[in-house]
Amino acid sequence: MNPLEIFRYAFEALRERRTRSILTILMVLIGAALMTALNGMNAGMENFVLSSFSSLSPNSLIVVPGTSSVTLDAHDVTLLKKVSGVDDAVPFIQGAAILHSGVKTLRVMVAGFDQSKINLLYPTAELEEGSFISPYDSTGMVLGSKIAMPPGETRPFAWVGKVVTAEYKHTSIEPSGQIKREAVKRSFVVKGVLKYTGAPGFANVDRSALVSLQAANSLFKRGSHYDGIIVITASTDLNSKVEKEILKLYSGNVMVISPKAIVQVIEKTMAGFTTFTVSIAMVSLMVAAVGIITTLFTSVMERTREIGLLKALGFKNWHVLVMFLSEALIVGIIGGSLGLVAGYFGAHLLLMRPVQFSHSAALIQPLFEVEGLVFVWLFTLAISLLAGFYPAWRASKLNPVEALRKE
Amino acid sequence: MKTVEEAKYAAETVDLTKVYRSGAYKVYALRNVNIKIRRGEFLAVVGPSGSGKSTLLNLLGTLDQPTSGKILIDGFDTSKLSGGELARLRSQKIGFVFQAYNLINRTSVLRNLELPAMILGVPAGERRRRALELLELMGLRKEAYRKPTELSGGEQQRVAIARALMNNPALVLADEPTGNLDSKTGRSIFELLRKLCHEQGATVVVVTHNLELASMTDRIIHLRDGVVVKEEEVKAG
Ligand SMILES: Nc1ncnc2c1ncn2[C@@H]1O[C@H](COP(=O)(O)OP(=O)(O)OP(=O)(O)O)[C@@H](O)[C@H]1O
Ligand SMILES: [Mg+2]
């Protein structure tokens, strides 16, 4: 007998018990959808977090003051450059400010650093038009692409040659103990606009305005103290050695942040999280497997006489086995395929709203890889077949005389 | 091994014995039964309840194995065949008719008829042609696309008989085919079986409780306590 005919026969049998079949398919669907969606959302989340940090090159270390008594200035840059294994040291000052362009305003991150070293900070940054500004230019500004052209707007916020004003609300404590607030305003001329990098994250270059170090110092009233110094090591292998050296140099009064170490911690954490969520999805697939077992067993019970008849008509044991396995497989194929689609769209739906961060909102896109989807699909099929095997085997072993006698 | 043409009998039993055990107690359902069934013969098996009629039919149909003795179907010794080979033998050479019809109710009459041919691997077009031909013979051509449950008991049993004939079997086995039917319909079923034997060359063994119906066959075998107690040829007329 042609196995395709058995498959068709099994399909007819499933259609006869429509409600029950649909419910079983639904169980499989939910399991497969959960697995697909959780996988995709986890991968998307991991990708998002990683790209936020990986925009900094892996052989960089960020040195920031560890206590309020410590300050970093030009002297520290010279000092850090002398540490063995260090190629370069780039000081930076950054803060949040409100940008005015004509009647329009925008909340942005303003970062000041030597722009000839921009690719040490943002390796993917490139100019769309205009030019970078020199370290001595206190009025030039380079805009990230989302500032020049905010998403959802039809007209640009600012362009090369446009004069904009940055406003910073400075808060300080007077010797008398009074809190003093003042608005600091500085005018800038847009000298360049960056290409869109697409790198999401907290230090999002697309949503940053870049100025010279001294301009940032003046705007944020830092008194020539840097927010931090980015140290570029000769190679990533030297990161931990250089880190130790620096800590020793400052007797532990600075903090050294290693983007590479952060990435490793994130990867590890996400892997653990993925295992956890995917095992939840697995449990739901196991429940579906039990559903298949009970449904098929009920079917074998109800169709005992039919099995007896088929054997009398010449069905071999393996024909009966294949027939019931086909039913399990059909349930697996339909449930798994629909589950994949449901999980794919479900994940997009769940992550449709932007996630809010302190300075910006970001869209986390679920990430699906073909191999991952194929794996979930095959896994669902395998589980379905496995669940179907025992009832199918029992059916194949039925004694035809007894089966035919059954009421 | 004998070929189909050489075999003299459609079926033959040699010292056929079937013993059921329940604990220490043995039940001889059949004891040294020797019968020879000619080709094209219409044979009735009668006897009281528990005399072994169904046991005999199940053994002839290779659905069960004898305790001792052997069965030849169309000359083939069935004791030498494996489970898979027996399934193939049933598919090719044996047709079953049951008291409860045992039709697949979810699908059409036509597809019910096609099932045995499908199992044998007959191409779709050919098995459809054969099924329609048999429905014509049974006077059921118009019911081809209806569900079995929409038919009367007598019509359903005629569909079941057509299904048994699909693969041109050497032997048709019917266990109380009229048990669920009224006497008039039962009579028409026996007339149909008789016609199939005498006009189509089928060989039919039918188990019945009804002696009046049994007298419509060619020969009657009387069973009692698993033993053949009497064999009588029925005179034509
Ligand atoms: N599976 C079994 N296990 C034990 N004993 C059995 C089994 N099948 C049949 N028997 C016994 O074998 C004997 C013959 O049974 P069988 O079913 O062949 O009788 P029958 O002539 O068909 O009866 P009926 O007219 O009631 O159908 C009976 O005594 C019965 O109890
Ligand atoms: Mg019986």
Side-chain angles (χ1 to χ4, degrees):
Chain A
M1 184 176 185
N2 186 340
L4 268 180
E5 305 256 32
I6 302 182
F7 202 74
R8 177 172 165 205
Y9 190 89
F11 190 71
E12 287 172 358
L14 270 180
R15 264 205 341 215
E16 189 194 19
R17 300 177 311 286
R18 189 162 317 190
T19 316
R20 206 188 303 159
S21 304
I22 288 175
L23 287 177
T24 319
I25 288 171
L26 207 63
M27 289 172 98
V28 176
L29 189 154
I30 290 170
L34 263 179
M35 211 155 140
T36 308
L38 287 175
N39 258 337
M41 296 200 304
N42 281 339
M45 186 69 196
E46 183 171 354
N47 182 49
F48 168 79
V49 177
L50 284 182
S51 58
S52 311
F53 284 91
S54 58
S55 61
L56 282 170
S57 79
N59 60 334
S60 58
L61 295 170
I62 306 166
V63 180
V64 295
T67 62
S68 53
S69 60
V70 178
T71 54
L72 297 172
D73 54 31
H75 168 72
D76 297 283
V77 176
T78 323
L79 204 64
L80 286 171
K81 276 186 183 167
K82 283 192 188 132
V83 174
S84 80
V86 172
D87 268 5
D88 207 346
V90 186
F92 66 90
I93 292 171
Q94 66 170 9
I98 295 167
L99 217 53
H100 301 268
S101 168
V103 293
K104 287 179 279 192
T105 61
L106 207 59
R107 226 183 127 73
V108 301
M109 284 296 292
V110 176
F113 56 88
D114 180 354
Q115 292 188 10
S116 64
K117 292 173 181 167
I118 183 163
N119 288 109
L120 297 180
L121 274 76
Y122 305 113
T124 55
E126 263 183 278
L127 274 175
E128 173 82 46
E129 58 176 322
S131 60
F132 286 118
I133 46 178
S134 85
Y136 312 106
D137 185 341
S138 57
T139 58
M141 184 181 263
V142 171
L143 298 179
S145 71
K146 282 190 175 172
I147 295 176
M149 187 71 205
E153 298 277 314
T154 48
R155 290 167 58 198
F157 175 80
W159 47 90
V160 173
K162 175 88 182 146
V163 175
V164 296
T165 309
E167 183 184 346
Y168 169 65
K169 297 224 164 50
H170 183 66
T171 313
S172 58
I173 301 167
E174 297 277 281
S176 63
Q178 261 195 325
I179 296 171
K180 187 182 154 208
R181 293 172 207 277
E182 61 172 316
V184 184
K185 285 191 180 179
R186 294 280 181 276
S187 287
F188 291 94
V189 181
V190 178
K191 292 274 178 69
V193 173
L194 292 177
K195 276 187 184 158
Y196 177 65
T197 64
F202 313 107
N204 189 334
V205 67
D206 294 325
R207 294 184 138 274
S208 296
L210 312 180
V211 297
S212 69
L213 191 60
Q214 69 176 59
N217 180 37
S218 155
L219 175 66
F220 296 118
K221 293 193 160 245
R222 292 291 205 268
S224 292
H225 294 153
Y226 306 138
D227 288 355
I229 298 168
I230 293 175
V231 170
I232 309 298
T233 61
S235 96
T236 38
D237 300 336
L238 295 171
N239 281 14
S240 53
K241 190 179 148 284
V242 170
E243 183 179 338
K244 281 199 197 91
E245 286 284 313
I246 295 171
L247 285 173
K248 212 164 82 188
L249 196 64
Y250 286 91
S251 357
N253 284 326
V254 292
M255 251 165 55
V256 180
I257 303 161
S258 160
K260 192 183 161 230
I262 291 173
V263 164
Q264 282 167 346
V265 169
I266 291 168
E267 274 175 346
K268 228 167 155 178
T269 315
M270 287 306 293
F273 189 63
T274 304
T275 311
F276 171 70
T277 51
V278 167
S279 59
I280 291 174
M282 291 245 191
V283 168
S284 100
L285 259 186
M286 293 304 145
V287 173
V290 174
I292 290 179
I293 294 175
T294 37
T295 312
L296 274 192
F297 249 121
T298 315
S299 173
V300 170
M301 291 302 164
E302 287 174 354
R303 289 162 65 201
T304 300
R305 269 218 309 195
E306 183 187 327
I307 295 163
L309 167 78
L310 291 173
K311 286 194 159 188
L313 293 183
F315 254 56
K316 293 172 185 169
N317 286 359
W318 72 264
H319 289 141
V320 178
L321 188 84
V322 168
M323 180 174 86
F324 281 97
L325 281 182
S326 301
E327 289 194 23
L329 193 65
I330 292 167
V331 166
I333 289 175
I334 298 179
S337 305
L338 293 180
L340 228 63
V341 174
Y344 182 88
F345 288 107
H348 279 96
L349 214 67
L350 284 172
L351 294 179
M352 208 163 61
R353 285 191 44 219
V355 182
Q356 207 70 39
F357 292 102
S358 52
H359 300 301
S360 65
L363 264 182
I364 301 176
Q365 287 288 322
L367 195 71
F368 294 100
E369 280 169 358
V370 176
E371 304 97 86
L373 293 176
V374 168
F375 172 79
V376 171
W377 197 73
L378 289 179
F379 186 76
T380 308
L381 259 55
I383 291 279
S384 304
L385 271 182
L386 214 65
F389 194 81
Y390 185 60
W393 181 78
R394 284 281 297 265
S396 78
K397 290 286 170 207
L398 279 177
N399 175 312
V401 176
E402 278 163 28
L404 277 165
R405 225 186 358 233
K406 202 178 166 213
E407 287 309 311
Chain B
M1 194 187 267
K2 293 172 191 173
T3 67
V4 178
E5 273 68 40
E6 284 172 296
K8 201 167 161 196
Y9 297 105
E12 197 178 337
T13 71
V14 182
D15 290 335
L16 193 63
T17 300
K18 180 73 183 178
V19 183
Y20 289 110
R21 258 171 222 283
S22 43
Y25 193 67
K26 280 184 178 178
V27 179
Y28 277 82
L30 290 177
R31 204 192 291 257
N32 294 320
V33 171
N34 290 286
I35 48 178
K36 293 172 170 27
I37 303 161
R38 296 187 296 268
R39 313 181 147 277
E41 187 177 25
F42 187 15
L43 178 75
V45 178
V46 300
S49 185
S51 57
K53 305 184 295 293
S54 293
T55 304
L56 175 64
L57 235 61
N58 289 336
L59 287 175
L60 281 171
T62 75
L63 293 176
D64 208 350
Q65 275 68 51
T67 309
S68 66
K70 60 183 179 179
I71 299 152
L72 301 152
I73 303 289
D74 222 6
F76 289 99
D77 185 350
T78 59
S79 65
K80 295 197 172 76
L81 301 178
S82 70
E85 287 167 333
L86 285 176
R88 183 149 186 89
L89 178 99
R90 283 197 293 275
S91 173
Q92 285 176 319
K93 300 201 179 290
I94 298 167
F96 290 90
V97 178
F98 307 93
Q99 180 174 349
Y101 326 132
N102 282 343
L103 298 169
I104 312 279
N105 291 323
R106 62 173 162 269
T107 183
S108 68
V109 164
L110 190 65
R111 211 164 140 67
N112 263 278
L113 288 202
E114 286 185 45
L115 187 58
M118 190 176 97
I119 294 169
L120 198 59
V122 178
E126 199 177 322
R127 65 187 189 224
R128 172 150 301 209
R129 198 179 42 70
R130 168 79 178 150
L132 288 170
E133 190 183 289
L134 279 171
L135 281 177
E136 190 78 58
L137 188 71
M138 299 287 152
L140 291 169
R141 180 62 185 80
K142 284 207 292 286
E143 331 302 334
Y145 297 98
R146 294 175 70 184
K147 296 273 167 71
T149 40
E150 295 166 12
L151 307 183
S152 73
E155 286 170 328
Q156 289 190 52
Q157 196 58 298
R158 265 145 64 204
V159 172
I161 291 168
R163 180 179 65 190
L165 295 173
M166 267 304 279
N167 294 341
N168 270 318
L171 190 61
V172 174
L173 303 169
D175 195 347
E176 303 195 36
T178 60
N180 287 4
L181 302 172
D182 61 67
S183 57
K184 186 163 159 275
T185 316
R187 210 181 157 75
S188 73
I189 290 292
F190 263 68
E191 269 159 10
L192 175 66
L193 290 173
R194 189 183 151 94
K195 194 177 104 180
L196 290 170
C197 287
H198 296 164
E199 292 173 17
Q200 308 283 321
T203 308
V204 178
V205 179
V206 62
V207 165
T208 182
H209 273 116
N210 189 324
L211 286 173
E212 190 202 325
L213 290 179
S215 67
M216 293 170 70
T217 65
D218 302 333
R219 186 159 60 116
I220 305 173
I221 286 180
H222 293 263
L223 275 184
R224 187 182 295 267
D225 296 331
V227 179
V228 178
V229 289
K230 191 163 110 187
E231 278 188 55
E232 54 175 328
E233 299 280 339
V234 182
K235 290 178 192 73

